[in-house]
């Protein structure tokens, strides 16, 4: 279950946690929107909120064992274990643990893997909590539950910082409850881009100029948002780039997730666009103007129209 559905609705700590998680499109492979918790670790306030919320929840549940999944469960598990007076048991990737181990294979969002646990780490009937940073398919947590149960422990709950939305509603794993703090952070750039590109073409970048300066009538907050992300691009270049790179990509998407991934691709392309083309064009125009000035001067040279020529040139400035 999500923390908001369990007493923490409106708790500002959840927003702080969510805001501290960075989203990296196409990592570690195309199509994955990677939820990067390392940025949360850089923010001691957000990091402490995570630990505090879990500690509050588990401190009176008589838990004697906190199992953390390699690698990111090793970050959140130990501070929680210490605070609730439990031992910490690392569930490791293959070949890392000495001594007698049991192992479980499982499928990931991007591949297969195996987890191992030391047999000596667990006593029968111990009450265990499994901690990880994120649940996607639930394969890792299910393998963790299997390991603990095979060793005779009773798994009380699994807890993660982030839960991918496809998992929402399914709050039990192998019959065990799941407690999740936040849904994936939204990449504001992606939201803004989709907001713009989903508007009807006629309204997308409608430009009218009652005064001299053009007003772009697309959803201005979204466009402003994108302008702050791409401050190196002039507005005209940004709009042109969106038209060139974005619209076809996103209108061809097969669904919401696909649209987000495509929008991420567009954003990457935008990051590579620069004002170079525009500056080149300005230089060309300036060059043409200089040539025109020279040819006008030449045609009046020596004649009585020298003053006239100067007037024409001044108008060209
Ligand atoms: O719910 P699931 O589909 O099983 O996926 C979630 C798991 O995937 C990630 O770890 P990963 O295997 O990428 O390993 P890492 O922490 O070593 O990067 C994440 O930290 C979880 O452990
Ligand atoms: N989208 C995702 N972001 C971070 N870690 C993950 N593990 C599995 N899917 C993930």
């Amino acid at each position: 279950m999500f923390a908001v559905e369990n007493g923490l609705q409106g708790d500002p700590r959840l927003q702080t946690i969510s805001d501290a998680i960075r989203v990296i499109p196409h990592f570690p492979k195309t199509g994955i929107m990677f939820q990067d918790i390392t940025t949360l670790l850089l923010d001691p306030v957000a990091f402490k909120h995570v630990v505090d919320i879990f500690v509050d929840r588990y401190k009176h549940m008589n838990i004697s064992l906190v199992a953390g999944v390699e690698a990111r469960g090793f970050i959140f598990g130990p501070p929680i274990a210490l605070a609730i007076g439990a031992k910490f048991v690392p569930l490791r990737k293959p070949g890392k643990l000495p001594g007698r181990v049991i192992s479980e294979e499982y499928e990931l969002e991007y591949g297969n893997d195996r987890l191992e646990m030391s047999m000596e780490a667990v006593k029968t009937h111990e009450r265990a909590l499994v901690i990880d940073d994120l649940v996607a398919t639930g394969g890792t947590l299910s393998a963790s539950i299997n390991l603990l149960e095979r060793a005779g422990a009773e798994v009380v709950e699994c807890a993660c910082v982030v839960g991918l939305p496809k998992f929402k509603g399914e709050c039990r794993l192998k019959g065990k409850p799941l407690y999740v703090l936040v849904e994936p952070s939204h990449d504001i750039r992606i939201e803004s881009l989709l907001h713009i590109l989903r508007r009807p073409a006629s309204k997308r970048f409608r430009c009218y100029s009652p005064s001299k300066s053009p007003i772009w009538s697309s959803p201005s907050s979204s466009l402003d948002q994108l302008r702050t992300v791409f401050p190196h691009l002039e507005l005209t270049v940004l709009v042109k780039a969106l038209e060139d790179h974005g619209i076809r990509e996103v209108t061809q998407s097969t669904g919401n997730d696909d649209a987000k991934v495509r929008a991420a691709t567009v954003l990457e392309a935008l990051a590579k666009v620069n004002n170079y083309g525009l500056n080149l064009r300005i230089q060309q125009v300036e060059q043409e103007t200089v040539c025109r000035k020279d040819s006008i001067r030449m045609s009046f040279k020596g004649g009585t129209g020298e003053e006239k020529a100067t007037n024409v040139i001044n108008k060209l400035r």
Side-chain angles (χ1 to χ4, degrees), residues 3 8 11 13-14 17 48-58 179 181:
L8 291 190
D11 188 324
R13 291 177 299 176
L14 295 178
I17 292 166
K48 186 167 184 312
H49 287 337
V50 170
V51 176
D52 287 349
I53 293 172
F54 284 138
V55 169
D56 276 351
R57 180 168 174 81
Y58 298 115
Y179 188 69
L181 298 188

Side-chain angles (χ1 to χ4, degrees), residues 75-131:
I75 298 166
F76 299 103
I80 296 163
L82 285 176
I84 67 173
K87 64 183 169 190
F88 178 75
V89 175
L91 306 182
R92 299 217 59 179
K93 299 282 165 75
K96 303 282 185 183
L97 286 171
R100 257 173 12 108
V101 297
I102 50 173
S103 71
E104 280 282 334
E105 194 140 333
Y106 60 100
E107 275 178 27
L108 273 173
E109 208 187 358
Y110 38 80
N112 279 327
D113 220 332
R114 194 150 52 92
L115 274 183
E116 291 183 347
M117 185 182 78
S118 171
M119 282 298 276
E120 292 90 60
V122 182
K123 295 195 195 91
T124 46
H125 307 305
E126 275 202 280
R127 284 170 62 77
L129 167 68
V130 183
I131 297 277

Side-chain angles (χ1 to χ4, degrees), residues 32-36 72 108-110 133-134 136 164:
I32 301 283
M33 299 289 277
F34 189 79
Q35 304 292 310
D36 180 19
R72 291 169 257 161
L108 273 173
E109 208 187 358
Y110 38 80
D133 67 323
L134 176 142
L164 297 197

Side-chain angles (χ1 to χ4, degrees), residues 1-2 5 23 33-35 109 134-138 161-171 178 180-186 191 256-257 260:
M1 106 218 20
F2 278 82
E5 294 148 13
V23 184
M33 299 289 277
F34 189 79
Q35 304 292 310
E109 208 187 358
L134 176 142
V135 53
T137 64
V161 182
V162 187
L164 297 197
K166 58 184 146 191
F167 217 75
K168 202 170 181 179
E170 290 175 47
C171 42
L178 168 68
V180 171
L181 298 188
V182 294
E183 286 189 53
S185 313
H186 292 293
E191 301 299 321
N256 211 25
D257 283 353
K260 283 190 180 169

Side-chain angles (χ1 to χ4, degrees), residues 3 21 57-58 70 78 81-82 94 111 121 139 145 149 160 175 179 185 189 202 211 229 250 286 314:
I21 297 168
R57 180 168 174 81
Y58 298 115
E70 183 169 354
L82 285 176
I145 296 168
E149 288 185 339
C160 292
Y179 188 69
S185 313
R189 301 170 312 160
S202 60
S211 64
V229 178
V250 174
E286 276 175 354
N314 284 342

Side-chain angles (χ1 to χ4, degrees), residues 161-269:
V161 182
V162 187
L164 297 197
K166 58 184 146 191
F167 217 75
K168 202 170 181 179
E170 290 175 47
C171 42
R172 295 179 84 79
L173 286 159
K174 294 180 61 46
K176 300 296 172 190
L178 168 68
Y179 188 69
V180 171
L181 298 188
V182 294
E183 286 189 53
S185 313
H186 292 293
D187 189 324
I188 189 76
R189 301 170 312 160
I190 289 177
E191 301 299 321
S192 307
L193 184 57
L194 286 176
H195 189 205
I196 293 173
L197 298 183
R198 280 179 172 148
R199 281 173 66 101
S202 60
K203 294 193 181 147
R204 200 174 286 132
F205 300 120
R206 188 151 40 90
C207 169
Y208 49 94
S209 61
S211 64
K212 274 193 177 145
S213 61
I215 295 168
W216 299 93
S217 79
S218 72
S220 59
S221 60
S222 299
L223 201 49
D224 285 348
Q225 193 64 257
L226 284 178
R227 290 179 75 185
T228 54
V229 178
F230 299 108
H232 64 294
L233 291 181
E234 288 165 33
L235 182 59
T236 42
V237 178
L238 177 60
V239 169
K240 179 86 176 70
L242 285 176
E243 281 173 337
D244 288 353
H245 299 278
I247 293 157
R248 192 168 27 97
E249 264 299 312
V250 174
T251 48
Q252 279 176 354
S253 63
T254 53
N256 211 25
D257 283 353
D258 186 38
K260 283 190 180 169
V261 170
R262 283 167 183 265
T265 311
V266 172
L267 286 167
E268 274 173 24

